[in-house]
């Protein structure tokens, strides 16, 4: 018989929310080429996956934070542990980044614009930075380095 503890349940929910917070962004990279050459009238169809992904990862991030708090509470980890502090700081930076990176660019792409290539390049750069930021958080959570 398998016995599940609250720790195991929270850990798996936490891991699943990490996957939902990072994974969908990798699917968006191939869409950039389509957005670059699509007629303006069909752009909303190509931008919708970006909007959905941002919304999905926002909600997955809420679950991630909640389960992270619960996991810290039910384990012996302290909030002063270096990898937890680093993860929280990166998470706060990523919240600021995601709010300032994707939504304004998607709004600009939806409106009539002159240089789509510049906007798509900015969107690609934002995607790369978001993936790097979230992978850095994941590295801290998995490797749990002792910094101090």
């Amino acid at each position: 018989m398998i016995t599940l503890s609250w720790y195991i349940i929270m850990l798996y929910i936490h891991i699943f929310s990490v996957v939902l917070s990072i994974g969908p962004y990798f699917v968006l990279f191939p869409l950039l080429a389509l957005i670059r050459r699509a007629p303006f009238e069909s752009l909303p169809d190509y931008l919708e996956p970006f909007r959905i992904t941002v919304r999905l990862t926002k909600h997955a991030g809420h679950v991630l934070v909640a389960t992270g708090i619960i996991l810290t509470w039910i384990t012996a980890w302290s909030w002063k542990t270096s990898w937890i502090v680093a993860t929280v700081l990166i998470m706060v930076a990523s919240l600021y980044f995601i709010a300032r990176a994707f939504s304004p660019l998607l709004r600009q792409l939806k409106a009539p614009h002159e240089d789509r290539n510049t906007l798509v390049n900015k969107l690609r750069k934002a995607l790369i930075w978001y993936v790097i930021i979230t992978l850095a958080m994941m590295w801290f959570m998995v490797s749990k380095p002792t910094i101090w």
Side-chain angles (χ1 to χ4, degrees), residues 11-145:
L11 183 63
Y12 276 93
I13 293 171
H14 191 68
I15 292 168
F16 184 67
S17 63
V18 169
V19 171
L20 283 178
S21 294
I22 299 173
Y25 284 95
F26 289 100
V27 176
L28 298 178
F29 282 104
L31 277 177
L32 293 172
L34 298 172
I35 291 170
R36 196 178 300 272
R37 63 179 183 264
F40 181 75
E41 300 78 38
S42 63
L43 266 182
D45 296 334
Y46 293 108
L47 296 176
E48 187 65 12
F50 277 88
R51 191 188 64 74
I52 292 169
T53 298
V54 169
R55 180 172 278 161
L56 172 69
T57 57
K58 178 176 69 171
H59 294 304
H62 294 140
V63 174
L64 180 67
V65 169
T67 55
I69 290 169
I70 292 168
L71 285 168
T72 304
W73 178 59
I74 64 176
T75 61
W77 296 109
S78 163
W79 285 104
K80 296 177 185 174
T81 306
S82 61
W83 66 269
I84 292 176
V85 171
T87 303
V88 169
L89 290 175
I90 294 172
M91 182 186 62
V92 169
S94 74
L95 294 173
Y96 176 77
F97 178 80
I98 197 167
R100 305 237 345 152
F102 293 109
S103 297
L105 284 172
L106 294 175
R107 275 193 301 273
Q108 287 177 351
L109 280 166
K110 282 182 184 177
H113 50 274
E114 293 296 318
D115 192 9
R116 186 182 309 172
N117 280 333
T118 301
L119 294 174
V120 172
N121 289 340
K122 286 180 182 181
L123 190 57
R124 181 178 178 275
K125 187 177 176 181
L127 269 174
I128 291 169
W129 275 108
Y130 183 75
V131 168
I132 289 170
I133 289 168
T134 53
L135 289 176
M137 279 190 295
M138 190 169 74
W139 180 79
F140 276 106
M141 287 186 282
V142 171
S143 67
K144 296 174 178 43

